[in-house]
Amino acid sequence: AQRVTQPEKLLSVFKGAPVELKCNYSYSGSPELFWYVQYSRQRLQLLLRHISRESIKGFTADLNKGETSFHLKKPFAQEEDSAMYYCALRWDGSARQLTFGSGTQLTVLP
Amino acid sequence: NAGVMQNPRHLVRRRGQEARLRCSPMKGHSHVYWYRQLPEEGLKFMVYLQKENIIDESGMPKERFSAEFPKEGPSILRIQQVVRGDSAAYFCASSPGNTIYFGEGSWLTVV
């Protein structure tokens, strides 16, 4: 069965410091990986997907199939980056739902 | 396009009552998903529907929970005889087939 693991429930960094949110997955096929961000009690917004290989709000994520990881990185954190971040996987089954990790609450300190 | 609309945003129910959560997908989207976010936990998939069909309900509790997406009108997640453990945020999402877009969620509190 597919699974997404985000080992850090809480992560605090200072403004301007680099940040890395970890995500590991387990799935034997070819997954699609996503990062979603949720600001306080708002809707989840798609931040990144590995297929597009784009950078949004300074965040990047590289799919490492050898390590089965999809870590989210930003070189210089900003206070407005404080939010809950979810890594998600979509597998090539018949249904198209996402499997989410448990999330990492990022706090960027001034 | 107004985005995925959920209502009510907040709902308080007493134990034993019924809760109905509504979700209007984005225009043109025929796929609807429901997720539950329990306090201090991540999102858990509940059910995936297309118009008039349940495609995957593997995440739905076996009892008291049901979902529909009729030909006309919003998708509805129904929870009968609510218990305290049902208190959570319920997120609906819709998709035209690929990218999934989320609503702002409905927060259910059972007292």
Side-chain angles (χ1 to χ4, degrees), chain B residues 57-70:
Chain B
E57 56 181 348
S58 57
M60 288 279 269
K62 294 282 186 285
E63 297 174 347
R64 303 187 296 108
F65 285 72
S66 62
E68 62 178 13
F69 188 18

Side-chain angles (χ1 to χ4, degrees), chain A residues 7 10-11 18-19 21 31 35-36 38 40-41 45 48 55 60 65 67 70 72 74 78 84 88 91-92 97 103:
Chain A
L10 301 169
L11 182 63
V19 62
L21 291 89
W35 276 100
Y36 279 82
Q38 184 184 26
S40 181
R41 290 178 80 92
Q45 302 173 36
L48 285 177
S55 171
T60 58
K65 290 187 178 180
E67 296 182 358
F70 189 56
L72 183 68
K74 184 169 182 177
Q78 303 298 315
M84 185 71 129
W91 53 290
D92 54 359
Q97 74 271 23

Side-chain angles (χ1 to χ4, degrees), chain A residues 2-108:
Chain A
Q2 63 281 3
R3 186 155 63 180
V4 178
T5 303
Q6 292 180 250
E8 301 142 330
K9 202 164 184 172
L10 301 169
L11 182 63
S12 295
V13 300
F14 285 102
K15 177 182 170 182
V19 62
E20 181 179 67
L21 291 89
K22 292 185 168 48
C23 171
N24 290 90
Y25 66 91
S26 60
Y27 178 59
S28 56
S30 294
E32 294 180 70
L33 275 298
F34 304 82
W35 276 100
Y36 279 82
V37 59
Q38 184 184 26
Y39 300 100
S40 181
R41 290 178 80 92
Q42 295 183 23
R43 73 181 74 219
L44 276 81
Q45 302 173 36
L46 178 63
L47 186 61
L48 285 177
R49 49 182 167 178
H50 87 272
I51 291 176
S52 54
R53 298 185 63 80
E54 57 198 341
S55 171
I56 304 293
K57 299 184 180 182
F59 285 96
T60 58
D62 289 317
L63 179 60
N64 186 323
K65 290 187 178 180
E67 296 182 358
T68 59
S69 68
F70 189 56
H71 302 327
L72 183 68
K73 299 176 185 178
K74 184 169 182 177
F76 307 104
Q78 303 298 315
E79 288 181 71
E80 56 266 28
D81 296 329
S82 296
M84 185 71 129
Y85 291 81
Y86 289 98
C87 182
L89 172 155
R90 184 159 62 192
W91 53 290
D92 54 359
S94 57
R96 302 285 290 164
Q97 74 271 23
L98 293 165
T99 299
F100 283 88
S102 55
T104 298
Q105 178 66 50
L106 173 66
T107 301
V108 180

